Amino acid sequence: QLFVFLQPVEATDDAFWDQFWADTATSVQDVFALVPAAEIRAVREESPSNLATLCYKAVEKLVQGAESGCHTEKERQIVLNCCRLLTRILPYIFEDPDWRGFFWSTVPGAGRGGGDEDDENARPLAESLLLAVADLLFCPDFTVQSHRKSTVDTAEDIHSIDSCEYIWEAGVGFAHSPQPNYIHDLNRTELLKLLLTCFSEAVYLPPSSDSSNANPWVQFFCSTENRHALPLFTSLLNIVCAYDPVGYGIPYNHLLFSDYREPLVEEAAQVLIVTLDYDSSTSSSPTVDGTTTGTAMDDVDPPGPDNLFVNYLSRIHREEDFQFILKGVARLLSNPLVQTYLPNSAKKIQFHQELLVLFWKLCDFNKKFLFFVLKSSDVLDILVPILYFLNDARADQSRVGLMHIGVFILLLLSGERNFGVRLNKPYSVRVPMDIPVFTGTHADLLIIVFHKIITSGHQRLQPLFDCLLTIVVNVSPYLKSLSMVAANKLLHLLEAFSTTWFLFSAVQNHHLVFFLLEVFNNIIQYQFDGNSNLVYAVIRKRNVFHQLANLPTDSQSIQKGLQRRKKTPEPISRTNSQDGVSMEGSRPAAPAEPGTLKTSLVATPGIDKLTEKSQVSEDGTMRSLEPESLQPLPEGNPPSAVNDGEPWSGEASQPRRDRRRLSSASSSGQWTPTPDWVMSWKSKLPLQTIMRLLQVLVPQVEKICIDKGLTDESEILKFLQHGTLVGLLPVPHPILIRKYQANSGTAMWFRTYMWGVIYLRNVDPPIWYDTDVKLFEIQRV
């Protein structure tokens, strides 16, 4: 219990301070056990000068280790112990606002070259610490393989080495894969843990709408001051993307020997996404025009973010680099889905949420990568795992964040025509999922999973419905042939969303009906030929469309519609949805275990803020529509999603804009629907195309049934397959795509989500546990 030293100790008393890092056999877990939180806080309050000296001394030891190159076992031990000690103490420095500036102040005598220089040149402690960690991450025989043959007196000078020759793994911009060395992996992991802890100052600041307040630690580390920025960025990216958890395909291989790579890969993924925490809506990220040749990342300085990691990421452009990244991310995301005949025979990774954030950053900062992903059906190797995670997490309140990021990625992809086209590929992989068995395409899979989320997910997912249906609208003009199962699911959603109680119970619910009608219109106008299943389903459920067209608007009917709600407590009835048998080997989506920890999330912007509309021209190009020229979604912008901390209630979400004109606010402050309000959007329901289709086809189908005494679907489907409506339908409407657009609201959401994941995943040692975190609340389910 060295730590209870409340009498000030002189900084020069080396014998005293050295006891902190002299011990040989500690691990980071030991340091956490030996240095309890209460003692760190006691020293911080009672003896601040000792805490300051300890931090300064520990950083000094790291700087000395980086200078000397850590040639002896003893020096390496000291470096690791200082590293562990700082990882333990830093969160307690950050949680106290009075201490937050401490690392950015200079310590007397800690000049850039030791004590001789003027203090004018002294670096802040934070900078010395970050530069020392960066040097140590490329320290021969400590964290990288030495390139020298003999070790006699020819130890490499750490300042003369070109760290680009010591990149940790082959991949982007580096062809040589070094021999794995588990000691190096362990040392890198400890240093990265310290780096992540340095970056975690962000967790102690409350979420703010101003996302420009950059993290000073990340800002400095990713600046030109860090001479290892490029090789470190490349090392982190390559270590993650080259990792193959299943190894050489030997079952149970992970049980035979401990995998030293996985903790390093997790740590690398977490450090990488934190360094890429950058609000792209406030700047135009640079993208290469495609004419450049040369290295993976050119040396020409483009105008772009000062954050070099974001800069390098946005400038990757070689096809083989994109292929390497996409294959790696897809391999890791698919890992939890790998079902083998031997239970537990393949290693299951746990860092899929970090991978999704990384994939999001890649697509958001590097448009060339996004186009590469959509160029081939490889995008489906990302889509299927995302749908698997969405379906699996739909009942689990602790995984709301995972649901959001999965949906955001699909929204981003759905803004590109190629994504819709790719979905037509038949779905043959049989990942066991708790959904009805079907035969069809990836588009069918997407619709069936979305239906499942909407009808059997938990209440907190309601704010995502707009996003889910926007994705379906975006891909609908390209869907060549929906299966009968998927067609029925779409009609079941329309049926559920067009009940009077649902339409009248919240100000934005009718938008869901508009989205679904848009889906049907797109398919009928642009893909009528292959979609006899959908046309047949529309004909069978024609009463739903007639009811919508004849929706009552008088006060009495509105009240009656709302009464019905009291009898129907469930958000959406599950009757009428013939779910059929679930896939073999699948488990139902389970709710969170009681007591599971989760972190709160900030609200996400409504769909109108999240997307901007583009019109697809005849030649397939898109042009952005000025918001003014557009018919807005009829009255009632969707309010931004309700904060996770409060239960969602249909009526309570108040729209942002004042709408007293159209709907009266009742005395209790709750919104109530009025006849004017219903009229204002009912008159805009896009029913013309469907009504014309029914007008033409229903008599013909009825005639066939009567003539042939048919009750058999296949005959009717055959008739519909060969029928045509050319010249009978209204002029096709232009295709509207709602493309995701970056905004500071989503940037803040990503920051809270990402740090929440990192907080909950770092339990051994529990770096931030029980400290006064401000970015989110830790809640129990």
Side-chain angles (χ1 to χ4, degrees):
Q1 297 297 333
L2 285 173
F3 219 79
V4 192
F5 53 106
L6 301 181
Q7 299 308 311
V9 182
E10 284 302 312
T12 48
D13 181 356
D14 285 341
F16 175 82
W17 297 109
D18 285 350
Q19 347 170 44
F20 283 99
W21 27 84
D23 195 4
T24 47
T26 52
S27 68
V28 68
Q29 285 77 7
D30 294 340
V31 172
F32 272 67
L34 289 168
V35 183
E39 292 187 15
I40 305 176
R41 290 190 176 116
V43 175
R44 186 181 72 195
E45 307 308 325
E46 311 297 325
S47 183
S49 67
N50 282 355
L51 185 59
T53 307
L54 183 66
C55 290
Y56 153 59
K57 284 283 188 186
V59 172
E60 188 180 51
K61 285 290 173 203
L62 290 179
V63 173
Q64 285 167 5
E67 295 284 329
S68 73
C70 285
H71 295 305
T72 65
E73 193 45 52
K74 184 171 180 220
E75 284 177 284
R76 290 174 198 158
Q77 203 51 56
I78 289 175
V79 162
L80 289 173
N81 282 340
C82 289
C83 193
R84 294 159 184 160
L85 194 61
L86 285 165
T87 302
R88 179 59 171 143
I89 293 171
L90 274 167
Y92 297 90
I93 302 269
F94 294 152
E95 74 172 355
D96 184 338
D98 297 338
W99 275 83
R100 224 166 270 150
F102 168 70
F103 269 86
W104 295 97
S105 58
T106 52
V107 176
R112 289 189 163 88
D116 334 325
E117 294 186 34
D118 290 339
D119 288 343
E120 293 304 300
N121 290 339
R123 276 196 181 281
L125 207 49
E127 296 187 2
S128 306
L129 170 55
L130 290 170
L131 294 176
V133 172
D135 278 341
L136 288 164
L137 285 167
F138 291 100
C139 184
D141 288 325
F142 179 52
T143 49
V144 291
Q145 217 74 47
S146 170
H147 290 185
R148 290 286 162 94
K149 293 290 170 279
S150 86
T151 48
V152 190
D153 297 331
T154 54
E156 290 153 285
D157 171 17
I158 195 151
H159 291 288
S160 64
I161 72 169
D162 172 6
S163 45
C164 284
E165 293 171 13
Y166 290 87
I167 287 170
W168 300 350
E169 186 55 85
V172 176
F174 194 66
H176 167 67
S177 186
Q179 193 56 38
N181 177 323
Y182 82 92
I183 300 287
H184 294 174
D185 276 3
L186 291 175
N187 294 342
R188 292 164 177 174
T189 304
E190 300 240 27
L191 286 159
L192 290 178
K193 213 179 266 310
L194 172 57
L195 201 51
L196 194 60
T197 310
C198 290
F199 294 159
S200 71
E201 190 182 330
V203 179
Y204 297 93
L205 302 170
S208 70
S209 52
D210 173 25
S211 51
S212 59
N213 48 3
N215 181 331
W217 295 83
V218 171
Q219 214 169 3
F220 179 79
F221 191 77
C222 298
S223 73
T224 47
E225 295 270 354
N226 178 359
R227 70 190 184 96
H228 304 291
L230 178 59
L232 192 57
F233 167 76
T234 315
S235 295
L236 294 171
L237 185 63
N238 292 353
I239 275 280
V240 172
C241 295
Y243 180 54
D244 184 359
V246 181
Y248 298 105
I250 310 161
Y252 299 104
N253 152 350
H254 65 290
L255 301 177
L256 303 179
F257 56 86
S258 185
D259 176 358
Y260 291 96
R261 201 27 73 106
E262 188 178 22
L264 174 62
V265 176
E266 290 206 1
E267 214 65 54
Q270 293 179 358
V271 168
L272 196 53
I273 60 178
V274 170
T275 53
L276 296 170
D277 177 17
Y278 179 80
D279 183 357
S280 60
S281 68
T282 55
S283 68
S284 49
S285 12
T287 39
V288 182
D289 61 356
T291 51
T292 44
T293 49
T295 55
M297 279 137 316
D298 289 334
D299 300 330
V300 207
D301 260 3
D306 309 327
N307 178 327
L308 291 178
F309 280 38
V310 173
N311 202 331
Y312 297 144
L313 185 81
S314 66
R315 286 160 58 205
I316 299 172
H317 62 276
R318 296 189 317 187
E319 295 261 314
E320 56 270 38
D321 290 339
F322 286 158
Q323 189 59 36
F324 163 74
I325 294 172
L326 181 58
K327 278 271 177 282
V329 173
R331 173 176 41 278
L332 291 170
L333 282 178
S334 314
N335 162 274
L337 289 56
V338 177
Q339 295 288 332
T340 58
Y341 296 104
L342 309 168
N344 306 322
S345 62
K347 184 175 181 115
K348 233 180 168 173
I349 60 155
Q350 300 297 328
F351 55 99
H352 49 274
Q353 303 196 78
E354 292 92 325
L355 287 165
L356 290 171
V357 175
L358 178 60
F359 183 76
W360 170 269
K361 299 279 179 196
L362 281 157
C363 294
D364 196 20
F365 295 154
N366 191 323
K367 285 295 168 256
K368 273 218 156 80
F369 176 74
L370 176 63
F371 298 142
F372 177 84
V373 169
L374 293 166
K375 206 172 68 173
S376 75
S377 51
D378 288 350
V379 65
L380 302 175
D381 298 337
I382 299 285
L383 170 76
V384 172
I386 288 179
L387 291 175
Y388 172 85
F389 291 130
L390 290 177
N391 189 54
D392 188 53
R394 69 177 193 265
D396 183 341
Q397 299 225 356
S398 68
R399 292 198 282 168
V400 176
L402 169 62
M403 299 290 297
H404 276 77
I405 188 164
V407 172
F408 283 159
I409 290 173
L410 299 183
L411 180 65
L412 181 71
L413 295 174
S414 75
E416 307 299 329
R417 172 183 180 274
N418 262 355
F419 181 63
V421 174
R422 299 281 159 242
L423 290 178
N424 291 309
K425 187 176 175 181
Y427 176 67
S428 51
V429 228
R430 285 284 170 249
V431 176
M433 280 163 88
D434 173 28
I435 53 171
V437 181
F438 71 97
T439 304
T441 65
H442 285 75
D444 294 311
L445 177 67
L446 178 129
I447 287 168
I448 291 166
V449 169
F450 283 10
H451 173 269
K452 199 85 173 166
I453 294 168
I454 291 172
T455 55
S456 64
H458 57 80
Q459 283 279 295
R460 295 260 168 92
L461 298 179
Q462 204 120 10
L464 279 176
F465 291 2
D466 277 338
C467 268
L468 291 168
L469 293 187
T470 298
I471 294 164
V472 181
V473 173
N474 283 347
V475 301
S476 58
Y478 312 110
L479 303 184
K480 295 207 177 321
S481 106
L482 286 183
S483 68
M484 191 57 97
V485 178
N488 284 335
K489 296 297 176 209
L490 284 175
L491 277 139
H492 176 240
L493 288 179
L494 182 70
E495 218 173 344
F497 289 149
S498 57
T499 60
T500 47
W501 72 255
F502 185 78
L503 284 173
F504 297 157
S505 64
V507 70
Q508 78 285 11
N509 283 355
H510 61 273
H511 293 174
L512 300 172
V513 169
F514 276 78
F515 286 139
L516 283 164
L517 291 175
E518 208 174 323
V519 170
F520 297 136
N521 287 339
N522 282 341
I523 293 177
I524 292 166
Q525 289 283 16
Y526 292 98
Q527 298 291 347
F528 180 83
D529 285 351
N531 273 298
S532 51
N533 287 331
L534 183 79
V535 173
Y536 178 62
V538 166
I539 291 174
R540 272 188 50 222
K541 292 280 183 192
R542 56 190 177 274
N543 61 324
V544 179
F545 299 97
H546 291 302
Q547 277 163 9
L548 265 175
N550 301 318
L551 189 75
T553 57
D554 58 291
S555 306
Q556 202 181 356
S557 307
I558 293 176
Q559 282 319 306
K560 209 159 99 189
L562 288 172
Q563 289 310 306
R564 203 166 302 170
R565 174 175 203 174
K566 309 244 182 330
K567 297 184 203 124
T568 326
E570 287 206 46
I572 286 164
S573 88
R574 283 164 215 182
T575 50
N576 316 351
S577 165
Q578 294 86 17
D579 250 9
V581 190
S582 271
M583 294 173 78
E584 197 181 335
S586 67
R587 292 192 312 274
E593 290 289 320
T596 307
L597 289 180
K598 67 186 188 85
T599 53
S600 62
L601 294 163
V602 293
T604 49
I607 195 74
D608 52 334
K609 307 260 186 326
L610 210 53
T611 53
E612 62 179 2
K613 297 189 184 169
S614 304
Q615 198 166 316
V616 182
S617 318
E618 298 283 310
D619 58 0
T621 54
M622 287 195 194
R623 61 187 184 83
S624 187
L625 291 176
E626 287 309 308
E628 289 74 75
S629 68
L630 265 173
Q631 277 293 314
L633 262 182
E635 289 314 320
N637 286 345
S640 59
V642 182
N643 190 326
D644 203 33
E646 53 197 39
W648 190 88
S649 113
E651 293 90 353
S653 1
Q654 281 289 0
R656 280 287 152 83
R657 274 184 312 151
D658 189 18
R659 209 165 286 89
R660 234 165 280 149
R661 193 170 52 80
L662 286 164
S663 56
S664 57
S666 62
S667 53
S668 64
Q670 281 191 350
W671 168 88
T672 51
T674 63
D676 285 353
W677 171 77
V678 178
M679 279 305 297
S680 72
W681 54 261
K682 179 189 167 181
S683 58
K684 300 194 181 88
L685 284 168
L687 287 165
Q688 304 80 339
T689 300
I690 294 168
M691 289 308 188
R692 184 78 187 117
L693 172 138
L694 292 173
Q695 201 187 350
V696 174
L697 292 180
V698 171
Q700 298 183 345
V701 169
E702 284 177 339
K703 186 172 187 315
I704 295 176
C705 293
I706 292 164
D707 289 356
K708 303 199 169 165
L710 272 186
T711 48
D712 180 23
E713 288 185 357
S714 57
E715 284 288 324
I716 298 169
L717 284 168
K718 207 176 290 172
F719 162 71
L720 292 173
Q721 267 160 13
H722 299 110
T724 172
L725 291 176
V726 175
L728 296 172
L729 292 177
V731 179
H733 53 284
I735 296 174
L736 269 192
I737 301 292
R738 294 173 182 80
K739 285 172 87 95
Y740 168 81
Q741 55 172 357
N743 61 64
S744 49
T746 40
M748 199 63 228
W749 184 90
F750 273 99
R751 182 174 302 167
T752 53
Y753 170 61
M754 168 185 81
W755 276 112
V757 169
I758 292 172
Y759 176 96
L760 292 173
R761 299 256 299 106
N762 281 275
V763 286
D764 185 26
I767 302 181
W768 300 281
Y769 187 69
D770 260 353
T771 58
D772 188 12
V773 171
K774 294 274 195 294
L775 185 63
F776 43 75
E777 288 170 34
I778 293 93
Q779 301 161 337
R780 284 192 186 277
V781 172

